[in-house]
Amino acid sequence: MLESSRRNFLRLTGAAGAGLALAGARPFAAHAAPARPAEAALVPEAEATTLWYRTPAREDQIIREGLPIGNGRLGALAGGGPAEDVVYLTDGSFWTGGRNDTLQSDGQLPYDSNGFGSFGLLAQVRIALTGHTPDAYTDYRRALDLSNGIVSVRYRIGRTTYRRELYASHPDDVIVLRLTRSGGGSHTGAVSLVGTHGEVTTASGGRASFAGTLANGLRYAAAVTVIGVGGRVGVDGAKVTFEDCREVLVVICGGTDYSRDAARDFRDPAVDPLALARAKVAAAVGVGATELLATHVTDYRRLYDRMRLRLGESTPVQRALDTWSRVAVRYTDPSTPDPELEAMYVQFGRYLTITGSRDRLPMNLQGIWVHNNNPDWYGDYHTDINIQMNYWLADPAGLGECTQALADYCVSQLPVWTDVTRRLFNDPRNRFRNTSGKVAGWAVAFSTNIYGGSGWAWHPSGNAWLCNSLWRHYEYSLDRSYLAKIYPVLRGAAEFWQARLVPTTVTEPDGTTREVLIDDTAWSPEHGPDAKGITYAQELAWDLFQQIRIAAEVLGRDAEFAAEVTDLQARLYLPRVSPKTGWLEEWMSPENLGETTHRHLSPLIGFYPGDRINTDTSPKPLIDGVRALLTARGMDSYGWACAWRSLCWSRLKHAENAYQLYLTVLRPSMNNGNGTSANLFDMYSQGSYTIFQIDANLGGATAALEMLLYSRPGVIELLPALPDAWADRGEVTGVGARGGFEVDLAWRAGKVTSVTIRSVGGTETELRAGGWRRRITVQPGRSVTLTPGR
């Protein structure tokens, strides 16, 4: 039995004082207590942006219907059943596998659940409530409040309205579930903590927990505590029970002894996961429900409120639809826009970024949300588009600090990546080895895990692709200290390419010849033959060398190395337009050597996310070649592929194609097809089933913002691809722009009516809106407001 009902009430309502709080979702460790606001500054329900549903999530469909919460380290999917609810709990570091540095007979790295490993599910928390059966309740509503970062359930039994709230607090590093009611009645039931690897859960005094060790030595644990207001709390075997409680507070925590320290084999021996999980739960319980919620909402809204987006007004009929019905109706009635739904999808992407990437590990193929221990592709970090697309949204959406998880990951993995590359990359069995015989720096395979391990085939361009994403945040922030942190990663990748490039002679259209540098044998992701000088690699190498040139100058270091890189960049072969197909060539061949409508846009990487090819400075025939290849790829594919296509059409200023592809990402996933599921997760079709891949959610949201603003070094372009559906009126505030700026933008009848540019480090840029151009100068921390055309 726990303490008296009075003491429980004081704890639950927060009247007992702050108590001990070991907060923080950085490494799973103790941290100083967060600041405690007096009460939650909630966005009112009528004003909040909300996903909502009339029925609970089916447990066998929880990956498609469950509502996600997270604090960047802990994640959970919530079902919402009144009688039998379930929370699927994850920790981003709950990974099997290891360094995976023993080559197969073909010189490639193994890709399996043993050596490479897999992301998995930490635990299930199951909540059973007596008497809350389907025939007993009415007026059911389940919701994900994006404005406040809370999942809620509400229903009536007789005259009693029952409500539950669920969220993952970043400051307190716990998941909180609160059951309340009004109009009489009480809560009677039980909470079960169930591991996924045969662990034994023990319970006593209102608390339950388990601990275990994976085959790779990773230690982990989970803990839950239940507090009741009134009534009684006890245990029944491994379950925590509650009876006749007016309110119930359930606090959950778990974690591993994972560390970002490669020197300690990515383990922290000082961390006792069980003791720490119990301590964090106890600290949160001591704070109380009122202050826990206030702390969470304050922290969450600090990020979420940075960007506001309005694309027009939806109709009352559209607003009255539950979210899944609304998605379906938008698809079946394509001529009728639903601008609030289309803006909500962007805000959902921002929600996933805030809840999935907060200073621990980066988001993997499924962010931090899985429903079993065998996710497709092991829930890995794919290095040929997927992890990169996961971070395209953060900076434009005002969430630049959420990119730190990716940067910290690359920095922490660098020692192992470097060691494995120098020992194994030039193995004679590796068909992608450097034929120069030289090797330096670091490389990865197409898949990476959290222990420095790589799997599947070697991916020589993967290092430059990752650097491209790291560099992206610097371009938005101009943060010199961040640049210094990632510089060793950039330099190591450049050293790899310095050793890898090989000379060859090419014939120019006028018949002359010249010697150029090309990539050694590689694969253009993920199709076609192995070949030298693939466009994908040439563009990434060019970008990487450009980044080193700028970084060395900004940081005042490595002038000699920067000069060497500048010379290499000048000698790179750059892609041409095929005289046979009219497309930008994917290989150093006028022939199309792959699938015309392939999902990947690898040869267009220099157009998006790169800028070497652009409509301002590139010759028209080159832009025509980009357009022709993009047209050939088509207007339908997997979600992430449609998002990439949309972004490219925006840069071509073809608004309606960009918009149509955005809507294709939003189409409902039916009969195991590609598209959006009920909970707005993007589903990737595997034929007989679908699998959640978060990249499309984040890439799709980025595509919407790209239609409104295109920034590149020295230029900010407003409404470059505004579709007719959004043209009437709208606004976006707090959108990030490269060059060190934030932009507030409003428009009517397709024309910009006001724009405010705030400096977060930049000082000069050119502002464009249609044919209007203006050079502006703004001091760091200051802003300027303009009306284009005046």
Side-chain angles (χ1 to χ4, degrees):
M1 193 72 63
L2 290 182
E3 299 165 90
S4 68
S5 296
R6 177 180 178 278
R7 181 67 176 272
N8 291 341
F9 176 79
L10 291 174
R11 283 185 165 184
L12 192 61
T13 59
L20 174 66
L22 303 175
R26 288 149 290 278
F28 184 44
H31 294 274
R36 299 288 182 193
E39 60 183 34
L42 291 165
V43 176
E45 183 175 311
E47 300 173 17
T49 300
T50 304
L51 284 60
W52 70 278
Y53 308 86
R54 301 180 190 274
T55 58
R58 295 169 292 173
E59 187 170 355
D60 65 346
Q61 296 293 317
I62 198 163
I63 196 66
R64 297 175 61 93
E65 299 179 6
L67 296 178
I69 60 169
N71 65 11
R73 183 182 73 79
L74 292 171
L77 291 169
E84 296 284 344
D85 203 355
V86 64
V87 176
Y88 279 56
L89 179 67
T90 60
D91 176 287
S93 64
F94 193 62
W95 265 83
T96 60
R99 294 198 176 199
N100 202 46
D101 57 351
T102 301
L103 295 179
Q104 300 179 126
S105 60
D106 60 356
Q108 307 308 310
L109 294 154
Y111 189 49
D112 55 44
S113 60
N114 296 316
F116 179 78
S118 178
F119 180 51
L121 184 66
L122 177 61
Q124 296 175 5
V125 179
R126 312 189 73 86
I127 303 98
L129 289 174
T130 303
H132 292 217
T133 56
D135 60 344
Y137 64 82
T138 60
D139 300 335
Y140 179 92
R141 188 178 191 271
R142 178 171 60 102
L144 168 54
D145 178 345
L146 300 178
S147 299
N148 295 301
I150 301 169
V151 167
S152 65
V153 173
R154 185 173 67 222
Y155 55 91
R156 282 195 308 114
I157 298 178
R159 295 182 178 180
T160 302
T161 297
Y162 290 92
R163 179 178 174 87
R164 65 191 65 167
E165 293 178 339
L166 181 72
Y167 56 88
S169 169
H170 179 264
D172 285 292
D173 199 20
V174 294
I175 288 174
V176 178
L177 172 63
R178 185 184 188 186
L179 284 66
T180 60
R181 90 289 174 269
S182 61
S186 63
H187 298 87
T188 295
V191 175
S192 303
L193 177 64
V194 183
T196 64
H197 288 75
E199 301 87 351
V200 175
T201 298
T202 59
S204 65
R207 299 177 293 273
S209 61
F210 69 74
T213 304
L214 295 178
N216 63 0
L218 186 76
R219 295 181 296 138
Y220 62 92
V224 61
T225 290
V226 180
I227 297 288
V229 174
R232 295 165 296 282
V233 174
V235 297
D236 180 5
K239 298 180 180 179
V240 179
T241 61
F242 48 92
E243 185 177 357
D244 292 332
C245 294
R246 297 192 300 276
E247 295 188 11
V248 178
L249 179 68
V250 182
V251 180
I252 306 161
C253 192
T256 76
D257 66 348
Y258 179 81
S259 163
R260 289 197 297 253
D261 188 351
R264 296 193 294 187
D265 203 24
F266 299 100
R267 302 288 192 277
D268 186 347
V271 168
D272 179 341
L274 180 58
L276 192 52
R278 287 173 171 171
K280 290 194 174 189
V281 167
V285 166
V287 169
T290 299
E291 290 187 8
L292 284 174
L293 178 63
T295 302
H296 161 68
V297 171
T298 299
D299 171 74
Y300 173 79
R301 290 191 59 193
R302 178 181 63 83
L303 293 172
Y304 183 84
D305 290 350
R306 288 178 184 170
M307 196 192 86
R308 184 172 68 250
L309 176 65
R310 295 178 181 172
L311 300 175
E313 292 189 2
S314 298
T315 68
V317 172
Q318 290 170 326
R319 292 174 184 152
L321 295 170
D322 64 85
T323 300
W324 183 226
S325 299
R326 199 166 176 177
V327 170
V329 168
R330 180 65 189 92
Y331 180 69
T332 56
D333 187 8
S335 63
T336 303
D338 189 346
E340 291 172 8
L341 171 67
E342 292 154 29
M344 182 168 68
Y345 190 82
V346 177
Q347 295 292 20
F348 181 65
R350 296 183 70 243
Y351 172 83
L352 293 178
T353 300
I354 295 168
T355 57
S357 187
R358 291 287 300 273
D359 57 28
R360 179 70 190 266
L361 284 164
M363 295 176 283
N364 62 43
L365 278 174
Q366 294 192 222
I368 54 172
W369 296 281
V370 291
H371 64 295
N372 58 34
N373 284 319
N374 57 335
D376 286 50
W377 305 287
Y378 311 112
D380 69 17
Y381 300 116
H382 259 46
T383 64
D384 62 352
I385 180 58
N386 310 92
I387 190 173
Q388 292 88 349
M389 186 177 284
N390 283 358
Y391 287 91
W392 286 355
L393 178 63
D395 283 295
L399 302 173
E401 69 189 66
C402 293
T403 67
Q404 295 293 336
L406 178 63
D408 289 340
Y409 170 74
C410 291
V411 170
S412 72
Q413 304 291 296
L414 184 60
V416 183
W417 287 345
T418 302
D419 171 67
V420 172
T421 300
R422 294 180 179 179
R423 287 191 292 108
L424 302 181
F425 186 80
N426 267 3
D427 185 284
R429 299 168 295 178
N430 176 20
R431 68 185 191 274
F432 302 124
R433 66 189 178 278
N434 295 342
T435 56
S436 66
K438 299 181 289 184
V439 67
W442 62 276
V444 292
F446 281 91
S447 297
T448 65
N449 65 20
I450 66 171
Y451 303 114
S454 287
W456 196 17
W458 284 103
H459 180 202
S461 300
N463 53 14
W465 213 166
L466 286 170
C467 289
N468 179 284
S469 294
L470 300 181
W471 182 256
R472 186 181 177 95
H473 177 61
Y474 173 72
E475 285 192 308
Y476 279 93
S477 66
L478 300 188
D479 183 339
R480 196 172 180 275
S481 63
Y482 169 83
L483 182 60
K485 178 168 75 173
I486 67 169
Y487 185 78
V489 181
L490 303 179
R491 165 135 190 170
E495 289 171 347
F496 175 85
W497 282 92
Q498 190 178 34
R500 179 166 176 79
L501 293 170
V502 294
T504 193
T505 300
V506 296
T507 302
E508 302 290 2
D510 63 4
T512 61
T513 61
R514 66 187 178 99
E515 186 177 84
V516 295
L517 294 176
I518 61 172
D519 179 36
D520 218 322
T521 301
W523 186 35
S524 185
E526 292 176 4
H527 83 313
D530 294 348
K532 287 183 169 66
I534 59 174
T535 294
Y536 169 79
Q538 299 299 123
E539 294 286 8
L540 283 171
W542 192 94
D543 267 358
L544 178 63
F545 293 156
Q546 186 82 343
Q547 293 156 16
I548 285 290
R549 292 174 59 188
I550 297 171
E553 181 178 354
V554 170
L555 297 175
R557 64 175 73 169
D558 285 349
E560 183 177 345
F561 182 68
E564 294 171 3
V565 161
T566 300
D567 176 64
L568 294 176
Q569 185 187 38
R571 295 162 59 197
L572 281 172
Y573 172 81
L574 295 174
R576 302 172 176 174
V577 175
S578 165
K580 286 193 173 183
T581 65
W583 308 345
L584 184 71
E585 292 178 354
E586 186 163 357
W587 301 271
M588 290 181 69
S589 168
E591 307 291 342
N592 174 31
L593 306 179
E595 305 167 25
T596 299
T597 58
H598 193 265
R599 61 191 180 274
H600 278 262
L601 283 181
S602 303
L604 295 189
I605 200 167
F607 186 64
Y608 190 94
D611 296 290
R612 191 194 67 80
I613 303 174
N614 63 79
T615 55
D616 284 344
T617 63
S618 297
K620 183 178 182 299
L622 188 60
I623 297 300
D624 289 344
V626 168
R627 182 180 291 104
L629 177 59
L630 189 57
T631 300
R633 281 294 200 265
M635 295 289 288
D636 193 7
S637 188
Y638 299 99
W640 61 263
C642 289
W644 198 354
R645 285 158 167 73
S646 176
L647 286 154
C648 288
W649 281 115
S650 283
R651 290 207 170 171
L652 288 171
K653 298 181 173 60
H654 198 309
E656 298 313 314
N657 275 9
Y659 178 62
Q660 184 58 50
L661 283 157
Y662 178 62
L663 294 184
T664 302
V665 178
L666 255 171
R667 67 185 166 187
S669 170
M670 304 294 289
N671 301 316
N672 295 317
N674 295 311
T676 294
S677 58
N679 61 3
L680 297 195
F681 276 176
D682 185 83
M683 291 293 142
Y684 184 104
S685 177
Q686 290 287 74
S688 61
Y689 66 98
T690 56
I691 185 69
F692 166 45
Q693 278 195 201
I694 200 172
D695 42 22
N697 287 103
L698 306 173
T702 310
L705 295 182
E706 188 79 10
M707 295 181 230
L708 307 180
L709 187 144
Y710 168 28
S711 65
R712 53 205 180 277
V715 177
I716 298 174
E717 192 164 355
L718 310 176
L719 305 183
L722 183 69
D724 290 343
W726 301 343
D728 183 42
R729 67 172 60 197
E731 68 171 331
V732 60
T733 64
V735 64
R738 288 190 290 171
F741 300 98
E742 290 178 349
V743 179
D744 296 347
L745 169 66
W747 66 91
R748 291 194 68 175
K751 303 292 184 182
V752 177
T753 57
S754 175
V755 59
T756 298
I757 309 294
R758 287 186 300 279
S759 169
V760 295
T763 55
E764 291 187 34
T765 192
E766 180 177 278
L767 198 60
R768 300 180 184 177
W772 177 85
R773 299 187 179 194
R774 178 77 58 83
R775 293 294 305 177
I776 64 168
T777 300
V778 56
Q779 295 302 310
R782 300 290 184 90
S783 66
V784 59
T785 298
L786 300 168
T787 301
R790 293 183 185 176

